[in-house]
Every structure is written in C-alpha cells, then in structure tokens.
Amino acid sequence: QASSAQWECSVCTLANIGARTICEACETERPKAAAIAAAPAPGKAEPQPMTIKVRNVKGDVNFEVECDKAATVDQLKAAVVKGAPSGFAPEGATCVIALGGKFLLQGSETLTALGVQNNTQVIAVMRAASTVAPAAKAAPAAAASSSDPAPRS
C-alpha cells in the first residue's frame, strides 16, 4: 500500500505523491527529511527541512544531517547520532551540541529560535555514558585521594 503523504519538491514546488523518491516533474531527489516525516496532521505547519553541518571539536569528522526548522535540540541530537559516521557516536553515549561557543540546552525552543538556520555549522561532542562533568566529581575525587582509606567493617 502506497503512502498517501505528499512532499513538495524543493526545486519546482510540485506536490508529489508520498511514495515517490524523485519529483514527477523535474526528477529532483526527494529530501531525506521529507522521506522520513509523515504527512502533517490537519492544522499543523508543513515540514520545513534544513541541512545542519556537523563536525567534531577537532574538525576531522564532518557530516550533514537533515532536521526540520521546528525541531528541538533533542531532535537535532537524535538526528546527529543517527546520521553520524561509523564510530563517531558510540552506543550509550550522550550527544552535546555547541553553536557559537555555547551549548544548546534541551527545551521546547525550536532550532530556528536558537539561531540555527539552513547550512549552520554546529559542533557535536559525544560523551561516554560513564562520563560525568569534571566539576561534579573533582572535589570528592581529590578528597578521597588525599586521605587514608576508611577501615572496612
């Protein structure tokens, strides 16, 4: 059974049948975000996909992900983990996104409201599941290493 969802061609704006992977009029490939997204519910805005350029801190890993302009930071993080090259996002790791020297925090604000636009470059940091922020562990670790171990009962 074919999907009844429609998608708009980004080149010629033709409304194509959801199952098509290329535009019926100009043969432009269907955007990845449109291929994944379901038809909008009545009363909801049409999807507005955009490309986000992602790199690691060193700059030696670069890739792109598709995300909707109305997506949240958590949705961008999920897209980064899903679209990352092999080995970039270890299983169980937490994704942190930085833009303009600041970390993007989770919340209900859209990417557009946070200043993310089409082709914006962000930095993705993958933190292993066991990694804890240095400030949270620094004092107890220092105190434990400078004192004698407690006797066991």
Side-chain angles (χ1 to χ4, degrees):
Q1 176 177 341
S3 170
S4 61
Q6 292 187 344
W7 58 276
E8 185 176 296
C9 176
S10 61
V11 174
C12 71
T13 70
L14 177 73
N16 287 277
I17 296 172
R20 293 190 61 86
T21 58
I22 61 170
C23 176
E24 188 172 8
C26 69
E27 297 185 350
T28 297
E29 189 175 330
R30 179 182 187 173
K32 290 178 186 171
I36 297 169
K44 291 209 173 188
E46 289 288 326
Q48 296 178 326
M50 64 179 169
T51 300
I52 308 294
K53 296 180 180 197
V54 183
R55 72 173 182 90
N56 65 351
V57 175
K58 289 183 183 178
D60 60 346
V61 178
N62 294 282
F63 58 99
E64 294 180 349
V65 296
E66 295 269 333
C67 222
D68 193 84
K69 289 182 178 183
T72 62
V73 173
D74 284 341
Q75 290 168 323
L76 174 58
K77 289 177 184 179
V80 167
V81 170
K82 185 176 180 180
S86 179
F88 181 81
E91 189 171 335
T94 301
C95 180
V96 180
I97 305 290
L99 173 66
K102 294 182 181 179
F103 290 114
L104 298 181
L105 304 175
Q106 62 189 27
S108 60
E109 284 187 282
T110 66
L111 295 177
T112 304
L114 293 168
V116 178
Q117 300 174 0
N118 194 40
N119 292 316
T120 294
Q121 172 109 30
V122 298
I123 297 173
V125 178
M126 299 305 300
R127 292 192 176 159
S130 62
T131 301
V132 177
K137 284 285 188 180
S145 65
S146 65
S147 64
D148 293 331
R152 293 188 176 177
S153 38

